Amino acid sequence: MSTLSSSDILQFLSGRRDSELFAQADAEKTRVFGRDIFLRGIVEFSNHCRNRCQYCGLRAPNTELTRYRISRDDILLATRSIADMGLGTVVLQSGDDFHFSAEEIGGIIRQIKAERDIAVTLSLGDRSREEFALWRDCGADRYLLKIETTALDLFRRCRPGARFDERLRRIESLQELGYEVGSGIITGLPGMTHTILAQDILQLSKMGLDMIAAGPFVPHPQTPFANEAPGDVDESNRVTALLRLLNPGTNIPATSALDALRPGSRIAALKMGCNVVMPSFTPQSVRAAYNIYPGKNMIPSPALQIVESVRSAISELGLVPSTSQGFSRRNA
Ligand code: SAM
Ligand code: SF4
């Protein structure tokens, strides 16, 4: 792992050394993962959320959003098509929705594992250690829980009612339970500075994470941050490139927020240190309602077509869309 000081990071974040930074990040990713790009099929099974994150379109006070939950059968159907299309991981994501009991979610995980040889990643928000333990026993492999920023004031401003120390404790619990654990940040949140970003990058790199996601802030019109400036795609790319240099074997996705701000930039990020893409397998009837931010899930095509076009875009870059489960190489 390379070491970078806070002042090195600030220099790279200034954008004055972009070609050197992106070439190094791409080389580091290739050294560890070769030309493979891991595909994960994501099923966004509920857009209900009890929280009020100031940036997110799913926040509870957003009464303009049409809410949905898909059934257990539809989750299983989507998962089967992910496996049948040769993707090695299903990601089950939702708002912080406590409608499904821990046992119901556990039953879904068990059923997926009984039917298919596929890795299961969960991204269900702030749940208890007991729930995490149950789902791990049922066969869940990974959990994603982003800290969003390490700057306490900014965290409090963005996530009213949430506690940063609890988020960190949950990440530690997940690690103790044997999950592969992912976290990450939103770049360009209102009030975020390069100093904060440098601190975020250094802290994330000390946490022993198997996955790190950093995507730009996209303002949503039905949130308190509607009129804030969007994050910057180039800045987000610098952040993921720096994370790659500091975390060579960690899985780093090219986020869909990139495409929401600059179409094509998600695939382009695969040449700047990212090694994962997560096409949506949420049923077409509700996909657009998983409206975290404008531009999210706006491709109206069937999942098969989306995957085919992602695969050919990856191949056009000289990379290989992998069918493997794509575990972390952090300890490799
Ligand atoms: N509810 C769970 C949670 O918050 O961990 C999982 C779902 S949540 C929609 C997934 C991620 O979306 C969050 O971790 C956050 O980083 C991202 N997100 C939400 N609103 C966003 C926005 N306006 N711009 C960029 N990313 C956003
Ligand atoms: Fe809910 Fe997650 Fe959106 Fe926050 S980021 S409002 S917890 S869905």
Side-chain angles (χ1 to χ4, degrees):
M1 181 193 291
S2 62
T3 50
L4 288 172
S5 68
S6 184
S7 70
D8 296 330
I9 292 175
L10 286 170
Q11 253 217 2
F12 280 119
L13 288 176
S14 73
R16 286 194 293 270
R17 295 166 68 186
D18 276 357
S19 37
E20 176 193 349
L21 172 64
F22 295 138
Q24 276 185 29
D26 189 39
E28 199 58 6
K29 183 207 71 166
T30 309
R31 182 181 69 76
V32 181
F33 294 95
R35 293 190 301 136
D36 280 356
I37 299 297
F38 299 140
L39 299 182
R40 328 276 203 209
I42 180 162
V43 184
E44 294 131 329
F45 64 89
S46 162
N47 70 353
H48 289 260
C49 188
R50 65 178 190 176
N51 292 343
R52 290 175 289 135
C53 305
Q54 302 283 76
Y55 41 75
C56 178
L58 308 193
R59 64 197 308 271
N62 182 8
T63 50
E64 290 174 62
L65 182 69
T66 306
R67 302 281 172 175
Y68 73 87
R69 285 185 187 101
I70 68 172
S71 66
R72 170 195 162 98
D73 284 350
D74 285 342
I75 296 173
L76 291 172
L77 263 182
T79 304
R80 284 181 206 124
S81 54
I82 291 169
D84 293 345
M85 279 184 224
L87 281 73
T89 296
V90 55
V91 182
L92 300 180
Q93 192 179 78
S94 67
D96 284 31
D97 177 13
F98 286 65
H99 170 84
F100 292 94
S101 70
E103 287 70 26
E104 280 172 300
I105 305 263
I108 293 169
I109 298 165
R110 268 193 212 285
Q111 186 63 30
I112 292 172
K113 293 302 241 186
E115 288 185 10
R116 295 287 202 277
D117 184 17
I118 193 168
V120 174
T121 302
L122 303 177
S123 175
L124 312 181
D126 288 327
R127 311 294 289 240
S128 69
R129 187 184 168 102
E130 291 67 36
E131 289 169 304
F132 294 153
L134 170 71
W135 298 334
R136 179 82 184 123
D137 285 345
C138 293
D141 300 279
R142 312 188 182 118
Y143 204 100
L144 291 174
L145 195 63
K146 289 171 71 178
I147 50 176
E148 318 298 0
T149 177
T150 61
L152 292 183
D153 280 355
L154 182 57
F155 182 91
R156 282 191 209 108
R157 226 178 318 130
C158 290
R159 297 185 51 98
R163 287 193 36 191
F164 182 77
D165 56 344
E166 285 178 359
R167 199 87 166 163
L168 278 188
R169 224 173 304 127
R170 286 194 172 88
I171 290 174
E172 284 163 15
S173 293
L174 289 160
Q175 288 173 322
E176 286 161 14
L177 291 165
Y179 281 90
E180 279 205 346
V181 181
S183 192
I185 56 167
I186 301 177
T187 67
L189 282 169
M192 197 175 227
T193 60
H194 281 182
T195 307
I196 293 177
L197 273 177
Q199 175 190 309
D200 290 347
I201 291 168
L202 287 170
Q203 178 147 349
L204 283 170
S205 304
K206 282 189 206 138
M207 289 167 63
L209 295 166
D210 300 293
M211 307 168 271
I212 308 182
F217 163 63
V218 186
H220 189 296
Q222 291 149 10
T223 66
F225 284 176
N227 298 318
E228 301 289 349
D232 178 74
V233 168
D234 298 317
E235 178 182 81
S236 179
N237 287 335
R238 286 175 200 123
V239 170
T240 43
L242 287 159
L243 286 165
R244 169 62 65 208
L245 296 184
L246 290 163
N247 305 271
T250 293
N251 283 317
I252 300 183
T255 65
S256 48
L258 292 168
D259 265 0
L261 292 176
R262 187 192 294 163
S265 57
R266 180 173 65 150
I267 290 293
L270 300 175
K271 293 294 276 181
M272 301 180 210
C274 296
N275 71 316
V276 176
V277 189
M278 306 205 290
S280 175
F281 278 71
T282 303
Q284 273 176 277
S285 53
V286 292
R287 197 186 295 150
Y290 199 74
N291 188 232
I292 307 175
Y293 43 74
K296 170 87 181 154
N297 282 2
M298 291 321 282
I299 308 175
S301 329
L304 177 65
Q305 273 175 31
I306 296 179
V307 171
E308 284 316 319
S309 92
V310 167
R311 281 191 167 129
S312 56
I314 292 171
S315 305
E316 276 164 29
L317 287 179
L319 300 169
V320 178
S322 167
T323 54
S324 93
Q325 297 192 354
F327 283 89
S328 151
R329 306 217 173 132
R330 186 164 62 84
N331 298 314

